Amino acid sequence: MGIFVVLTMKASVIEVLLVLLVTGIHSNKEPAKKVKRPKFTVPQINCDVKAGKIINPEFLVKCPAGCQDPKYHVYGTGVYASYSSVCGAAVHSGVLDDSGGKILVRKVAGQSFYKGSYSNGVQSLSLPRWRESFVVSESKPQKGVTYPSTLTYSSPKTAAANAGETTKAYEKPSLPGTTAQPVTLSQALATPVAEATHRATSKPFAASVTSSSRPQPVGHRSQEMEEMATWKPEPVLLDSGFVPKEELSTQSSEPVLQGDPNCKIDLSFLIDGSTGIGKRRFQIQKQFLVDVVQALDIGPGGPLVGVVQYGDNPATQFNLKTHMNSQDLKTAIEKITQRGGLSNVGRAISFVTKNFFSKANGNRGGAPNVAVVLVDGGPTDKIEEVSRVARESGINVFFVTVEGAAEREKQHVVEPNFASKAVCRTNGFYSFNVQSWLSLHKTVQPLVKRVCDTDRLACSKTCLNSADIGFVIDGSSSVGTSNFRTVLQFVANLSKEFEISDTDTRIGAVQYTYEQRLEFGFDKYNSKADVLSAIRRVGYWSGGTSTGAAIQYALEQLFKKSKPNKRKVMILITDGRSYDDVRIPAMAAYQKGVITYAIGIAWAAQDELEVIATHPARDHSFFVDEFDNLYKFVPRIIRNICTEFNSQPRN
Ligand SMILES: *[C@@H]1O[C@H](CO)[C@@H](O)[C@H](O)[C@H]1NC(C)=O
C-alpha cells in the first residue's frame, strides 16, 4: 500500500520532468520565441570607493584601470574590512588586474582582525576589529540573483557632521557615542568572533545563493611564476598595523573603538620622582601629564598611556591597560605620590624596555612604542647603552629636559649631553629643552603633535630595520667567476633594501665550499655603503659544496653573535646539491629561531632547498633556472620577509 503511493508520486514527478525537458528542448530550438530580458548594465565605481560606502549586500561592479595604486588603501587578506577600496581589494585578491574590469562583491560580517599581506602588487594593511567586511570574486552572476544596476550609497552626512570634531588640546576629548555607529570596547569584546568569516550579514536572496558561489580563498601559488615576471620593484610599503592618518581623519563615519585613531601609539611616560625635583616641580610635572593625556584622546582605538616613576629604582604607576580613557588617567595621575631618591633614568629606560612594553602590560604590538622621559636637571646613572637597547627594541625615546642641570645637580650628572645619547634620533625631533618649569605647559601641544606623528617615529620596528641578515654563499667550482659576481650583485641588491646601521638591520656573510669562511660578521660594518663595498670585495673561493656544514658554521660564527632583539634571517644561496647532510643543520637553525630562505640556482636540488628552508617551504625556498634571472627574485624575497614580519608584529 505504502509502496504503491510512493511509486505513483514518483511517476507523476517523472512525468512533470519529462514535460519540462521536452519544452526545454523545444524552446531551445526556437530561440526567437524567447523573451529578451532588459539589458543589465553593471554600475561603475572609482578606485577610491570604499565598500562601506555602498549599502547593497551583494553587487556586480565595474572597476577602472589603475586601482593598484597604494593610495587606495586595502585592509585585510581574502576578507577585507569594508573600509578598504573595493577595486583595490579586487586587485589584491587577484580577481582583477590593474587594467580594471567587472567583479562581484559580497558583504560579510565584521572581523576581530584583518591581516595585511602583499599580494598581486598590492600591499594591504592590517586593521583591528571592523564592523563589516567584504569578499570579492570574479563577476560570474549567480542564476536567479538580481544584481542592482544602480548602487545605493550611504549618506555622507554622518561623516560631514563629525569632520570638524578633531580633538584639540585642553579640550575635553570627544565622548563615545558622538560618532555614527560606535562600538564600545565592552561591546566589541562581547561579540563572538568565530562566526565572522564567511557569513553574510544580510542577504535578501540568500536562498538562491548556493554554497558554490562562495569566493575561493585567495592564494595564487600556482601563478607565482607569472606574478613574479610582471612584478615591478617599487617601494616596499610597511604594514605597521595602524591606520594611516589621512584615511581616518577624512572619514569618521565608521569608527569602531574609542580613542583618536590618528594617534594609535603605546606611550610610556617616565616621570622624575627624585628627591632633587622637589614637591612643587613634581606637582607641575603631574599637571603637565594631565594636560598631555587630555590633549590625547585616549582609548583602545587610539593612544594608550602608562606611567613609570623613577628615583633610585623605577616603578610602574600604571600600565597601558590600567586606564583606557583620558578621564580615568587624569584621576590616576593626580593621585601619584613622589617616591624620592636619585635620578636613575638609565635604570628606568632599561626597566621600560624589559618590562613595560610587554603584552601583559597592554602593549598591542601593532602600535608604535613611545617613551617620553621627563628629566629635571640630569640623570644620576648611565643611559647611553640602555638607550641603544631601547632603540633596537623598537622604542621611540623622547626626552623632555627641564631647566638643564642646575649647579646643585651637576656633580651627579654622569653623562654630559645625555639627551642626545638617549633619544631615538638626534635630529631634534625627539628632544625638548624647556628653560623653566613655569613654561613647561607650552610643550604640551608640540609634544602631542610629535608623538602622534607615527610616520616619523623612526625607531618603530619594521621588516627593514630590525633584522640580523646572514648570507650563506656557495662558492663552489660549478658557480664560476662570472656567476659568482652575479650572486654578489644579488646579495648587494637584497641588502640595499634594508635600513642598515648598528641599531637597525645588520648584515653578515659566510662563503662556503667544502670549507667555510666568515667574510664579515654582523658587527663589522654599520652603514649601507660599507656593507655594499664589503660584499663587492668578497673573493670567489672555488671548491666543493658542503651546504650542511655551512649552515652549522653560520649558526656558530654569525648568528651566535646576533642580538636577542633582532630577527635572525639566513639567506642561503647555492647552485648544486650538497655533499653532506643538510637536515640536522637545518633543524638546528630552526631551533635557534633563525628564519632560513633557500635560493637554489641551476643545478640546485629543489627537495633539498625545501629541507633547508623554514616552513612553509613555498614561502622560503626559491628556485631560479639561471643566474641571470636571480635579479627577479629580489622584490619577492623582500616581500616575503616583510609579510612574515608583519604577520608577527613586535613593537
Ligand atoms: C641588481 O640591481 C641592478 C640595478 O638595479 C640590476 O641592474 C641588476 O640586474 C641586479 N642584479 C641582481 C643579480 O639582482
Side-chain angles (χ1 to χ4, degrees):
M1 182 64 167
I3 293 166
F4 181 71
V5 174
V6 171
L7 283 176
T8 326
M9 273 179 63
K10 263 200 175 162
S12 61
V13 170
I14 290 164
E15 216 167 89
V16 171
L17 286 176
L18 279 172
V19 170
L20 285 175
L21 193 63
V22 170
T23 38
I25 292 164
H26 184 68
S27 61
N28 271 353
K29 278 183 179 165
E30 291 172 70
K33 276 192 182 171
K34 209 175 167 185
V35 182
K36 269 200 176 166
R37 279 212 222 150
K39 203 167 176 265
F40 169 71
T41 49
V42 176
Q44 188 152 8
I45 56 172
N46 292 330
C47 297
D48 62 353
V49 173
K50 299 182 171 96
K53 285 259 129 195
I54 300 166
I55 290 171
N56 310 68
E58 184 162 351
F59 51 90
L60 285 170
V61 81
K62 202 165 163 190
C63 289
C67 296
Q68 197 177 358
D69 195 305
K71 74 182 178 204
Y72 308 115
H73 291 294
V74 177
Y75 302 88
T77 299
V79 177
Y80 301 93
S82 62
Y83 193 63
S84 316
S85 150
V86 174
C87 300
V91 178
H92 182 269
S93 67
V95 171
L96 206 68
D97 62 21
D98 204 33
S99 57
K102 288 177 204 163
I103 52 166
L104 175 61
V105 179
R106 193 160 59 85
K107 298 282 188 69
V108 295
Q111 297 209 58
S112 60
F113 183 69
Y114 298 85
K115 194 160 110 36
S117 67
Y118 191 94
S119 179
N120 301 302
V122 175
Q123 175 69 56
S124 70
L125 305 166
S126 294
L127 187 72
R129 196 173 179 78
W130 204 255
R131 64 178 171 85
E132 186 192 58
S133 322
F134 67 101
V135 289
V136 191
S137 52
E138 279 165 24
S139 71
K140 294 218 181 72
Q142 289 298 306
K143 289 222 175 73
V145 181
T146 322
Y147 295 94
S149 54
T150 53
L151 299 173
T152 317
Y153 288 90
S154 67
S155 146
K157 266 185 206 159
T158 42
N162 284 316
E165 211 188 71
T166 44
T167 314
K168 285 198 204 98
Y170 299 109
E171 244 179 43
K172 267 199 130 195
S174 57
L175 294 168
T178 52
T179 39
Q181 281 180 290
V183 179
T184 66
L185 181 62
S186 54
Q187 278 172 327
L189 295 176
T191 318
V193 174
E195 59 171 334
T197 317
H198 280 299
R199 275 244 210 125
T201 37
S202 53
K203 250 202 288 180
F205 31 66
S208 55
V209 180
T210 62
S211 62
S212 66
S213 74
R214 282 191 180 171
Q216 295 304 303
V218 193
H220 294 257
R221 287 285 152 207
S222 56
Q223 296 176 10
E224 273 204 88
M225 294 306 280
E226 292 161 47
E227 187 194 314
M228 184 196 74
T230 55
W231 202 87
K232 289 181 213 77
E234 52 184 77
V236 179
L237 281 181
L238 301 178
D239 176 6
S240 31
F242 42 92
V243 181
K245 40 191 56 180
E246 77 278 7
E247 279 284 338
L248 282 178
S249 58
T250 54
Q251 245 275 14
S252 49
S253 64
E254 295 185 38
V256 175
L257 296 169
Q258 194 188 342
D260 179 2
N262 294 336
C263 182
K264 200 169 171 197
I265 56 170
D266 288 337
L267 173 64
S268 172
F269 256 113
L270 280 71
I271 61 167
D272 189 343
S274 65
T275 312
I277 189 174
K279 281 209 164 57
R280 188 182 62 89
R281 286 178 287 187
F282 189 75
Q283 199 55 41
I284 298 174
Q285 184 177 229
K286 272 168 48 173
Q287 186 54 48
F288 176 72
L289 242 63
V290 167
D291 292 344
V292 171
V293 301
Q294 302 262 52
L296 292 165
D297 177 9
I298 310 286
L304 292 179
V305 173
V307 174
V308 170
Q309 184 182 169
Y310 64 86
D312 287 340
N313 289 305
T316 302
Q317 298 289 337
F318 38 86
N319 67 35
L320 293 164
K321 62 180 185 188
T322 319
H323 305 291
M324 291 169 89
N325 65 65
S326 298
Q327 192 52 46
D328 289 357
L329 265 171
K330 174 174 184 269
T331 313
I333 292 165
E334 279 162 356
K335 287 190 188 134
I336 294 175
T337 55
Q338 191 180 351
R339 291 169 62 86
L342 290 171
S343 189
N344 289 333
V345 178
R347 206 172 281 180
I349 291 173
S350 179
F351 172 81
V352 165
T353 307
K354 287 197 192 112
N355 304 304
F356 184 88
F357 287 112
S358 67
K359 210 170 174 191
N361 280 344
N363 185 32
R364 288 171 286 185
N369 289 166
V370 179
V372 175
V373 187
L374 275 151
V375 187
D376 171 62
T380 47
D381 63 350
K382 288 200 167 184
I383 59 172
E384 185 167 8
E385 177 61 16
V386 293
S387 303
R388 189 183 56 74
V389 177
R391 281 197 293 279
E392 285 177 2
S393 304
I395 301 171
N396 295 278
V397 178
F398 283 81
F399 256 63
V400 180
T401 43
V402 194
E403 293 188 3
E407 281 312 311
R408 66 189 156 83
E409 287 152 345
K410 270 226 168 92
Q411 54 195 339
H412 299 297
V413 174
V414 175
E415 283 168 304
N417 270 333
F418 60 88
S420 65
K421 289 174 180 165
V423 291
C424 168
R425 293 279 188 277
T426 51
N427 55 7
F429 184 76
Y430 296 89
S431 14
F432 294 88
N433 225 318
V434 183
Q435 289 310 306
S436 139
W437 280 95
L438 296 175
S439 58
L440 182 58
H441 64 93
K442 289 183 195 152
T443 310
V444 173
Q445 293 271 26
L447 178 66
V448 166
K449 195 160 173 247
R450 287 194 206 170
V451 296
C452 289
D453 193 351
T454 48
D455 291 342
R456 289 184 67 183
L457 296 177
C459 284
S460 302
K461 278 200 175 183
T462 69
C463 55
L464 303 182
N465 73 3
S466 58
D468 275 345
I469 297 182
F471 289 96
V472 179
I473 306 163
D474 180 349
S476 62
S477 308
S478 53
V479 175
T481 315
S482 150
N483 287 335
F484 191 75
R485 289 290 118 201
T486 308
V487 169
L488 292 183
Q489 188 57 248
F490 174 69
V491 169
N493 286 5
L494 279 172
S495 302
K496 257 185 226 166
E497 298 289 328
F498 293 91
E499 288 164 37
I500 296 171
S501 84
D502 54 343
T503 57
D504 293 301
T505 288
R506 303 185 305 170
I507 307 279
V510 161
Q511 184 181 176
Y512 74 96
T513 55
Y514 282 125
E515 299 164 279
Q516 311 84 31
R517 76 178 177 218
L518 182 68
E519 299 291 352
F520 53 94
F522 294 133
D523 53 5
K524 187 84 186 260
Y525 304 107
N526 54 24
S527 76
K528 192 178 284 188
D530 288 350
V531 165
L532 295 180
S533 87
I535 294 168
R536 233 176 286 129
R537 290 197 307 269
V538 170
Y540 177 43
W541 202 353
S542 189
T545 314
S546 293
T547 308
I551 295 170
Q552 197 60 49
Y553 180 87
L555 293 179
E556 277 154 27
Q557 300 300 319
L558 266 182
F559 289 102
K560 206 172 236 173
K561 288 167 192 153
S562 176
K563 296 180 186 169
N565 49 15
K566 297 277 183 182
R567 230 177 159 73
K568 296 161 200 28
V569 178
M570 171 154 63
I571 301 179
L572 184 139
I573 306 154
T574 181
D575 82 326
R577 191 178 277 280
S578 177
Y579 294 1
D580 65 354
D581 174 65
V582 294
R583 241 160 253 276
I584 293 165
M587 185 58 73
Y590 170 76
Q591 280 162 353
K592 288 183 162 55
V594 176
I595 301 161
T596 309
Y597 288 84
I599 294 134
I601 314 144
W603 305 278
Q606 295 212 35
D607 57 323
E608 195 175 84
L609 296 176
E610 287 173 13
V611 170
I612 296 168
T614 297
H615 182 81
R618 59 166 193 229
D619 294 336
H620 299 91
S621 65
F622 303 88
F623 179 77
V624 191
D625 51 359
E626 44 187 320
F627 287 87
D628 288 345
N629 286 331
L630 260 178
Y631 76 96
K632 290 184 188 166
F633 285 77
V634 172
R636 249 177 87 194
I637 292 164
I638 298 293
R639 189 202 318 171
N640 285 14
I641 289 173
C642 284
T643 304
E644 178 146 51
F645 177 90
N646 293 335
S647 69
Q648 307 157 322
R650 157 77 186 88
N651 251 325

